[in-house]
Amino acid sequence: MKLHDQHVHSMYSVDSTEQLESYVQKAIELGCSYVVTTEHFDLDMVEGQVDWTVDFARLKQEQQQLRLQYPQISFLLGIEVGYRKGHIDQIHAQINSESYDVVNLSIHENDDADFYWPKYFKQYGIHTLLTAYFDEMIEATSHFTNYNVLSHIDYAFKTAYLMDKTLNISTYEDQIKQVYQNLIAYGKALEINTKVQEAIDDDQHTLYLLRLYQQVGGKRLTLSSDAHSVERYESSFPHYMRLIQSCGFDHLVYYIERKEYQYPINQEDL
Ligand SMILES: [Zn+2]
Ligand SMILES: [Zn+2]
């Protein structure tokens, strides 16, 4: 069995137009047994005060049809939840309303800024906003535990780094360590997100995050593409699997019905 991608968006996310079936065909081509998409659920977004929600009824209906067409694939249900401290009850309600297999937790925004857009870094200052970003992540991982995987820990850093290439994520080491300690304490996994790694394009950055995680005793890792189109499904997996292995990790984890399974990193994955 080949490991499936656990952070993928299809047309059920507001910002993707990809067909679910394209991912199924790609997964079959690669030899995966499972297909999961983790569609965006982001409430009260700073940009436009809109909610990004998902029509899970329609998504499950399509999965049901695809099951008949592709009986060799097990279809899983996932979600990527954007943490917002003012909307915790709604977030819990959404997570508890479906039988999810995997819940990815993301820090896309706080009350004042969307960490994707450079304009907020210009408005507040890069260092101030990165500090606020990691503070939000510490607060989320300290108080919220209804998830499996912390997605793209370096999401805001990516935007900042593309604005100023002299930045180094190690400036935020104390905060990152606190996040890691929370993940370990609550048994959550850290995601290496290849979309962010490809954008930053510096193996030393990725190795820094991995070594620090190893140093503080982190063991649970996922590797995911954050694909919004099928071309990026499992993008750069062999390269980042090699980096992960070089830091002493011999397996990744995946989730079914929110239960954790181990995937040993094989020679064929590298
Ligand atoms: Zn995200
Ligand atoms: Zn995503």
Side-chain angles (χ1 to χ4, degrees):
M1 175 192 116
K2 194 182 154 129
L3 185 65
H4 55 289
D5 200 331
Q6 291 178 94
H7 188 154
V8 173
H9 300 275
S10 77
M11 55 174 283
Y12 294 95
S13 286
V14 170
D15 61 349
S16 169
T17 55
E18 191 57 85
Q19 296 292 321
L20 199 49
E21 190 171 7
S22 311
Y23 288 121
V24 177
Q25 289 166 345
K26 182 73 183 180
I28 290 170
E29 190 187 307
L30 292 173
C32 304
S33 306
Y34 300 98
V35 169
V36 66
T37 62
T38 51
E39 313 294 356
H40 281 296
F41 183 79
D42 286 85
L43 296 175
D44 191 22
M45 295 180 78
V46 172
E47 285 284 299
Q49 281 77 53
V50 291
D51 294 336
W52 279 14
T53 57
V54 184
D55 189 345
F56 279 107
R58 235 179 86 217
L59 169 55
K60 287 190 294 184
Q61 208 174 48
E62 187 177 356
Q63 283 186 330
Q64 210 43 46
Q65 287 159 3
L66 292 169
R67 261 185 199 109
L68 303 174
Q69 235 175 307
Y70 302 99
Q72 68 272 52
I73 288 291
S74 298
F75 288 85
L76 306 179
L77 198 64
I79 187 168
E80 178 183 9
V81 170
Y83 178 79
R84 289 300 297 278
K85 60 172 172 283
H87 300 277
I88 293 297
D89 291 348
Q90 280 165 279
I91 291 173
H92 278 300
Q94 179 63 46
I95 294 172
N96 298 333
S97 71
E98 301 281 352
S99 301
Y100 292 109
D101 292 287
V102 60
V103 176
N104 292 338
L105 178 71
S106 296
I107 311 298
H108 293 134
E109 315 193 318
N110 64 10
D111 289 342
D112 309 310
D114 181 323
F115 300 114
Y116 180 79
W117 297 105
K119 67 177 186 189
Y120 293 101
F121 289 86
K122 287 186 190 132
Q123 185 182 337
Y124 293 102
I126 289 179
H127 179 62
T128 303
L129 205 54
L130 282 176
T131 303
Y133 169 72
F134 286 113
D135 280 346
E136 192 75 6
M137 197 179 290
I138 290 171
E139 128 125 30
T141 54
S142 300
H143 304 294
F144 184 82
T145 58
N146 197 359
Y147 71 102
N148 303 104
V149 183
L150 178 68
S151 282
H152 47 49
I153 188 167
D154 43 0
Y155 177 77
F157 184 82
K158 179 201 75 172
T159 305
Y161 182 78
L162 297 178
M163 296 167 72
D164 178 0
K165 293 260 196 256
T166 67
L167 293 177
N168 195 310
I169 199 162
S170 65
T171 304
Y172 305 93
E173 181 159 313
D174 289 346
Q175 286 170 291
I176 294 169
K177 268 188 180 163
Q178 184 63 59
V179 171
Y180 282 175
Q181 278 154 4
N182 287 343
L183 296 182
I184 294 163
Y186 292 109
K188 309 301 179 188
L190 174 74
E191 174 193 271
I192 297 297
N193 183 296
T194 68
K195 186 180 178 184
V196 173
Q197 306 319 302
E198 286 167 7
I200 292 174
D201 192 24
D202 176 6
D203 285 350
Q204 290 312 313
H205 164 90
T206 312
L207 287 168
Y208 169 79
L209 289 175
L210 285 167
R211 285 176 186 145
L212 190 64
Y213 189 53
Q214 171 87 331
Q215 242 176 55
V216 300
K219 297 204 185 327
R220 294 180 174 86
L221 271 179
T222 64
L223 179 64
S224 300
S225 73
D226 209 348
H228 286 62
S229 64
V230 72
E231 295 75 33
R232 284 204 66 264
Y233 189 85
E234 299 208 342
S235 181
S236 306
F237 265 34
H239 177 74
Y240 290 104
M241 285 237 199
R242 280 196 294 275
L243 293 193
I244 287 167
Q245 203 189 39
S246 79
C247 293
F249 298 96
D250 61 4
H251 68 276
L252 296 167
V253 296
Y254 63 96
Y255 294 87
I256 300 170
E257 293 176 356
R258 314 265 324 252
K259 282 202 287 286
E260 179 188 305
Y261 296 85
Q262 292 195 359
Y263 177 83
I265 298 174
N266 300 303
Q267 214 42 43
E268 310 86 73
D269 293 317
L270 306 175

